[in-house]
């Protein structure tokens, strides 16, 4: 019976329905109109939609357990270790950096917009470094390893990634005056949206969301981010507002002529959790071991993935630029042929 009780508690925790159950048991439905009541309803939405996504895939015989394997094992590790470290990091950053903020915001709609733009800036920095610094890519690549897209992918993270991401995002927000209660609200919205943009094609085929795609970052944009097509590599780093991608020229819409191919460019053992979790560390240490001299060894940790001490770089920027140049030449050639005739 203890086992069944533990399973029940885990399910209640996973679906985030504990608050909702309490409200239903108390019969006080007015509580649903309070901030905590709204949170109690919104919180279970994501796990419930993930559940529906799996059920729908099962009904249409498109369910492949293997697509959920890496996220599942990552979720288990994160639930037990990563989450607690991340919470500690957020509390630490607020405690240390709050006194250095030159001004403090209040809880108004215009400061909220300011706070969200600042949060996205922090998110952009963390995410950009996660792709451009080899050591941080080791932490982030677990999220990019799965070769399919579904809601469970938002659970696929190396357990130290959340603490590292929250250290940067919280520090940026607190130093720029975002007040902690507003920061928690933004974190919550970011978490819900950050989960939703991983919705799979069998649940939402076209993830462009119509005109909304012009204003915010959609599942389609994030599918592009998870692609290993040369055109799509290292683009769309934002989460909800993609202004920083537009500012820093990393914005890339999904092209109908370029179907998304998910995964990372390194040859992986297909669907291996251990390879998704530790494979990039192994590849980095191999490169460091082989590199001549201390300087080269050191550089491997901090240069972008694909950087080589021999000069034969295969970085995402190089691959994408070469692809864009080739496409440009290909587009030019037919008219040149006509001109020659
Ligand atoms: Zn990424
Ligand atoms: Zn993602």
């Amino acid at each position: 019976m203890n086992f069944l009780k533990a399973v029940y508690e885990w399910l209640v925790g996973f679906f985030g329905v504990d608050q909702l159950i309490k409200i239903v048991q108390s019969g006080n439905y007015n509580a649903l109109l309070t901030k905590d009541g709204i949170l109690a309803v919104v919180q279970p939405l994501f796990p419930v939609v993930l559940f529906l996504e799996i059920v729908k895939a099962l009904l249409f015989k498109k369910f492949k357990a293997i697509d959920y394997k890496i996220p599942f094992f990552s979720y288990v590790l994160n639930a037990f270790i990563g989450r607690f470290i991340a919470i500690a990091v957020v509390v630490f950053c607020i405690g240390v950096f709050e006194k250095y903020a030159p001004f403090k915001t209040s809880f108004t709609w215009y400061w909220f917009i300011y706070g969200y733009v600042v949060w996205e800036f922090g998110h952009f920095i963390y995410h950009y470094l996660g792709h451009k610094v080899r050591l941080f890519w080791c932490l982030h690549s677990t999220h990019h390893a799965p070769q399919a897209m579904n809601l469970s992918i938002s659970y696929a993270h190396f357990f130290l990634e959340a603490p590292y991401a929250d250290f940067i995002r919280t520090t940026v927000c607190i130093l720029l005056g975002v007040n902690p209660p507003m920061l928690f609200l933004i974190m919550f919205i970011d978490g819900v949206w950050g989960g939703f943009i991983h919705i799979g094609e069998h649940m939402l085929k076209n993830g462009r969301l119509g005109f909304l795609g012009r204003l915010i970052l959609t599942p389609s944009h994030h599918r592009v981010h998870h692609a290993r097509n040369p055109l799509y590599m290292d683009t769309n780093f934002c989460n909800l507002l993609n202004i920083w991608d537009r500012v820093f020229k990393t914005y890339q819409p999904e092209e109908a002529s370029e179907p998304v191919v998910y995964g990372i460019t390194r040859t992986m053992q297909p669907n291996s959790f251990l390879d998704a979790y530790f494979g990039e560390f192994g590849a980095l240490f191999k490169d460091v071991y082989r590199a001549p001299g201390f300087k080269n060894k050191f550089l491997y940790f901090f240069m972008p993935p694909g950087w080589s001490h021999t000069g034969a770089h295969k970085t995402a920027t190089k691959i994408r630029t070469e692809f864009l140049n080739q496409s440009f030449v290909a587009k030019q050639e037919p008219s040149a042929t006509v001109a020659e005739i």
Side-chain angles (χ1 to χ4, degrees):
M1 279 317 266
N2 272 347
F3 173 73
L4 285 179
K5 196 167 169 254
V7 170
Y8 170 76
E9 279 170 6
W10 179 81
L11 281 173
V12 166
F14 177 77
F15 284 104
V17 284
D18 39 350
Q19 285 303 323
L20 204 56
I21 290 173
K22 270 186 205 152
I23 291 173
V24 171
Q25 280 173 345
S26 72
N28 177 19
Y29 292 103
N30 284 339
L32 289 171
L33 299 172
T34 62
K35 189 181 112 234
D36 288 344
I38 292 167
L39 289 182
V41 176
V42 176
Q43 213 165 320
L45 279 182
F46 176 67
V48 168
V49 178
L50 167 61
F51 181 70
L52 289 178
E53 188 187 64
I54 294 175
V55 169
K56 196 174 168 207
L58 279 171
L59 287 177
F60 288 92
K61 297 201 166 60
K62 282 185 180 166
F63 180 77
K64 281 192 272 170
I66 210 81
D67 289 347
Y68 294 84
K69 187 180 156 196
I70 294 170
F72 174 74
F73 283 109
S74 307
Y75 169 75
V76 172
L77 270 174
N78 285 330
F80 289 103
I81 319 172
R83 192 181 297 169
F84 297 104
I85 307 177
I87 293 170
V89 164
V90 170
V91 173
F92 170 82
C93 292
I94 293 173
V96 171
F97 297 117
E98 209 175 4
K99 52 181 172 288
Y100 298 110
F103 59 91
K104 208 162 178 198
T105 55
S106 54
F107 221 119
T108 55
W109 64 268
Y110 48 88
W111 279 125
F112 178 75
I113 294 172
Y114 166 81
Y116 215 103
V117 171
V118 169
W119 165 267
E120 279 286 4
F121 183 59
H123 182 85
F124 186 93
I125 295 175
Y126 131 70
H127 200 177
Y128 188 84
L129 293 179
H131 280 253
K132 299 295 187 188
V133 174
R134 182 94 182 259
L135 186 62
F136 295 151
W137 171 244
C138 291
L139 304 181
H140 186 54
S141 62
T142 306
H143 183 61
H144 282 271
Q147 293 170 351
M149 182 57 84
N150 59 63
L151 282 172
S152 74
I153 305 296
S154 61
Y155 292 126
H157 287 282
F158 191 79
F159 79 100
L160 284 177
E161 194 186 13
Y164 143 73
D166 282 338
F167 179 81
I168 295 182
R169 297 186 293 205
T170 308
T171 304
V172 168
C173 285
I174 293 298
L175 284 178
L176 290 174
V178 179
N179 64 73
M182 199 155 73
L183 175 67
F184 297 142
L185 177 63
I186 292 170
M187 278 179 166
F188 177 74
I189 298 170
D190 179 84
V192 172
W193 190 257
F196 171 70
I197 54 178
H198 293 93
I199 196 160
E201 283 88 350
H202 54 262
M203 191 74 178
L204 186 71
K205 188 156 177 49
N206 179 340
R208 293 169 196 264
L209 305 186
F211 80 97
L212 275 180
R214 291 171 189 270
L215 308 172
I216 58 171
L217 190 135
T218 62
S220 165
H221 291 128
H222 200 62
R223 287 171 191 171
V224 163
H225 177 70
H226 274 265
R228 58 189 155 107
N229 313 47
L231 174 65
Y232 296 153
M233 287 171 94
D234 284 9
T235 57
N236 299 352
F237 292 103
C238 291
N239 200 52
L240 171 62
L241 307 174
N242 51 14
I243 37 175
W244 298 110
D245 279 314
R246 293 179 192 268
V247 169
F248 295 114
K249 306 263 183 288
T250 48
Y251 175 72
Q252 172 64 52
E254 187 179 350
E255 302 284 351
S257 57
E258 193 69 27
V260 166
V261 182
Y262 294 113
I264 55 178
T265 49
R266 175 173 66 87
T267 313
M268 277 186 63
Q269 294 167 35
N271 298 304
S272 155
F273 165 70
L274 285 179
D275 196 16
Y277 220 73
F278 299 108
E280 286 296 323
F281 281 106
L284 170 59
F285 289 127
K286 219 182 263 174
D287 282 341
V288 170
Y289 178 74
R290 286 184 192 149
F294 179 77
K295 188 183 160 201
N296 285 322
K297 289 183 193 301
F298 179 81
L299 284 174
Y300 267 111
F301 284 98
F302 297 100
M303 294 307 274
W307 179 87
S308 169
H309 70 277
T310 62
H313 308 306
K314 282 188 195 151
T315 60
T317 310
K318 190 174 174 221
I319 294 171
R320 187 165 188 262
T321 310
E322 280 171 4
F323 176 83
L324 288 172
N325 288 342
Q326 273 171 14
S327 321
F328 181 74
V329 171
K331 273 182 197 153
Q332 297 293 309
E333 262 168 7
S335 54
T337 321
V338 172
E340 278 160 23
I341 294 166

